[in-house]
Amino acid sequence: MDREPPTEVDLLRWSEALAGIARTGLGFTDSTYERERFEEVLAVAADIRHAAGHPVDPSQLVVEWMKQVGSGVPGYVTPKVAVGAVVGDDEGRLLLIQRADSGVWLYPTGWADIGYSPAEVARKEVHEETGIECEVERLIACFDGLRLGFSRVPLYSLVFHCRATGGSLVPHPLETRDVGWFGPDELPDPTAGADRWADMAFAAIRGDDVGAWFDHPRDPPWQGDPDAH
């Protein structure tokens, strides 16, 4: 079967996968020969990322990657973890924030913090970014951000459905420009990725049994359709 030429997203995830393999290998070997080979792989990965539109010089990118090399298990490269919260109120509306860095609207989300469970992070992010208190109801999604093209760094995003229990709308002074409650037909523009998650979010808020959305395996993983379910 004929395949379309690789997209920028394809090149980016191939680059990150190769760089992760090489950095992990460097963290587990003392062999000079193997280290040289892994450093060559990093150089190839940097060239691929540059072809995907990364503005940094490939040689400088290799230097940055080498700085991240650890030793043994701490050096095993894995995706970062972000945690998001789909918060609904008694009127069936969705809580959204306008991000200070990009101006786009999205449900509250942030990096996972050590010492907190994912559900605890969700509740903490909601309160910090919006002033709203909530209870975590259930996990409704696990996204691979690099695969779906909404992140340029490898990350998994865990999304929880939460129920608002109190508080008042107070945007974080540094992280958010604005916050608000929105119905299904009232989403502000631009709302990041709403075509992928909005229906699921409002279904969860209504109390529908939405299960947990996840990225289904591709066959083969490196060339399969990323939207195949």
Side-chain angles (χ1 to χ4, degrees):
M1 181 177 66
D2 294 336
R3 278 186 50 80
E4 295 293 327
T7 65
E8 180 179 320
V9 171
D10 290 330
L11 293 174
L12 185 61
R13 63 190 179 91
W14 294 344
S15 169
E16 288 292 342
L18 284 174
I21 292 168
R23 281 180 286 156
T24 298
L26 286 166
F28 278 87
T29 185
D30 293 321
S31 165
T32 299
Y33 176 82
E34 290 183 350
R35 295 187 69 84
E36 289 176 348
R37 301 291 80 75
F38 284 131
E39 288 177 19
E40 287 183 10
V41 173
L42 278 182
V44 173
D47 283 341
I48 294 174
R49 190 176 179 101
H50 186 68
H54 195 281
V56 176
D57 180 83
S59 61
Q60 183 60 38
L61 185 55
V62 171
V63 171
E64 294 300 318
W65 276 334
M66 287 295 294
K67 291 178 181 178
Q68 301 167 10
V69 173
S71 178
V73 173
Y76 196 103
V77 180
T78 62
K80 293 180 68 66
V81 178
V83 180
V86 165
V87 183
D89 67 2
D90 292 338
E91 298 179 35
R93 297 177 300 178
L94 171 67
L95 179 64
L96 294 177
I97 66 164
Q98 186 179 30
R99 296 181 59 90
D101 53 1
S102 63
V104 301
W105 289 83
L106 185 63
Y107 46 78
T109 187
W111 295 120
D113 293 312
I114 295 173
Y116 292 80
S117 74
E120 290 167 342
V121 173
R123 187 166 61 181
K124 180 170 75 73
E125 287 294 328
V126 170
H127 188 259
E128 288 179 353
E129 294 185 352
T130 72
I132 297 298
E133 299 171 359
C134 68
E135 289 296 332
V136 179
E137 300 285 332
R138 51 185 166 162
L139 180 71
I140 59 172
C142 179
F143 297 111
D144 179 342
L146 197 60
R147 170 175 164 175
L148 295 178
F150 65 74
S151 169
R152 296 188 66 86
V153 299
L155 72 84
Y156 294 158
S157 180
L158 307 178
V159 184
F160 290 90
H161 168 225
C162 304
R163 176 176 52 85
T165 58
S168 57
L169 292 175
V170 180
H172 190 282
L174 299 177
E175 298 180 7
T176 60
R177 297 184 190 178
D178 200 2
V179 297
W181 294 101
F182 300 91
D185 300 321
E186 303 170 338
L187 296 182
D189 184 50
T191 301
D195 57 322
R196 289 190 179 274
W197 54 261
D199 289 344
M200 173 187 63
F202 284 107
I205 291 171
R206 290 194 303 268
D208 298 348
D209 183 9
V210 297
W213 192 97
F214 61 96
D215 306 294
H216 286 250
R218 296 159 295 187
D219 188 17
W222 296 109
Q223 295 182 342
D225 181 357
D227 293 319
H229 283 42

